Amino acid sequence: RTPPRFAEEGENLQCVKVKSHGNHNLLRGQRATIYFRGTGDPRLDTKRFDFKVEGLTHHELLLLNLDGTPVSNNHDSSTGHVQVKYQHAMLRMGMFGLPFIVWTLLPIAGYAALLAYLNTGAVKFQPSTSSLHVAIGCLVSVVVHSFRYRSLARTRLKKDITHFIQRLKQKNPNPTRCGRGPSRAITAGQLKEFD
């Protein structure tokens, strides 16, 4: 699962870009299978892995069909979440050019190498103690990653948007979809309230 919220925009209706609010962590040259939720566009909110993405910049992704061709039809959405297939998240996403699976295995390999080095001398270390250290290291990495993920998702802007949505739901608890056109626009008064 990735933390970015996204906004889509068609560029001359030739391609659709997905913009994330944080670094999407997709490695250069990799494609990941994704699905959307919470966009308000039924063509996107299928809860199936119907799309692929390819990184353009650290904050932009190119939306692709499953066959790898760019999505050319315009989608009308400015919010939502992107869910990456778990296998692709571990193999095709990462930091500093290394996939997350390598970052997961790196501490284990380091501890194994350290244990092998320390066991070459006269004094032998107990594997159970070393296994405990490996387990603690893995647990700490999971906690740190979880904290980082949650802190990325809890920005000041996200809190303001959540508060504004709650206020809108109080004013209009059963909103209905309206047609495209000027009546759909946000008024200056609504923007002032958001401030």
Side-chain angles (χ1 to χ4, degrees), residues 137-166:
C138 290
L139 181 64
V140 167
S141 68
V142 166
V143 169
V144 168
H145 178 71
S146 170
F147 176 75
R148 180 181 173 272
Y149 176 80
R150 289 188 179 159
S151 67
L152 281 175
R154 293 182 182 170
T155 62
R156 174 75 180 154
L157 178 61
K158 179 65 179 164
K159 289 176 186 175
D160 287 346
I161 290 171
T162 303
H163 178 70
F164 187 68
I165 288 172
Q166 289 172 352

Side-chain angles (χ1 to χ4, degrees), residues 24-31 54-58 92-94 97:
H24 53 68
N25 293 323
L26 189 63
L27 296 173
R28 181 174 290 165
Q30 296 291 325
R31 292 180 176 179
E54 183 177 336
L56 295 174
T57 66
H58 292 296
R92 298 177 184 176
M93 296 175 73

Side-chain angles (χ1 to χ4, degrees), residues 19-182:
K19 293 185 179 182
S20 64
H21 105 80
N23 189 351
H24 53 68
N25 293 323
L26 189 63
L27 296 173
R28 181 174 290 165
Q30 296 291 325
R31 292 180 176 179
T33 306
I34 61 160
Y35 78 82
F36 296 106
R37 62 184 171 85
T39 65
D41 187 339
R43 296 174 296 170
L44 295 174
D45 290 340
T46 60
K47 297 188 180 176
R48 294 188 317 255
F49 290 100
D50 288 340
F51 298 100
K52 288 186 176 186
V53 288
E54 183 177 336
L56 295 174
T57 66
H58 292 296
H59 300 284
E60 286 186 336
L61 299 163
L62 177 64
L63 188 63
L64 306 168
N65 293 309
L66 284 177
D67 62 3
T69 59
V71 173
S72 59
N73 52 338
N74 196 11
H75 291 278
D76 185 24
S77 181
S78 60
T79 60
H81 299 272
V82 176
Q83 178 74 39
V84 179
K85 225 179 207 181
Y86 179 72
Q87 302 91 327
H88 292 187
M90 292 303 288
L91 298 173
R92 298 177 184 176
M93 296 175 73
M95 299 181 302
F96 307 113
L98 295 174
F100 285 135
I101 190 77
V102 173
W103 288 105
T104 303
L105 297 176
L106 199 58
I108 296 170
Y111 279 119
L114 180 64
L115 181 62
Y117 173 75
L118 293 175
N119 280 333
T120 58
V123 178
K124 304 287 183 186
F125 280 104
Q126 296 293 328
S128 61
T129 306
S130 298
S131 300
L132 179 63
H133 289 134
V134 170
I136 290 171
C138 290
L139 181 64
V140 167
S141 68
V142 166
V143 169
V144 168
H145 178 71
S146 170
F147 176 75
R148 180 181 173 272
Y149 176 80
R150 289 188 179 159
S151 67
L152 281 175
R154 293 182 182 170
T155 62
R156 174 75 180 154
L157 178 61
K158 179 65 179 164
K159 289 176 186 175
D160 287 346
I161 290 171
T162 303
H163 178 70
F164 187 68
I165 288 172
Q166 289 172 352
R167 287 179 48 201
L168 284 177
K169 286 184 179 179
Q170 286 175 351
K171 287 183 179 179
N172 187 6
N174 297 317
T176 58
R177 191 173 186 96
C178 60
R180 291 181 181 226

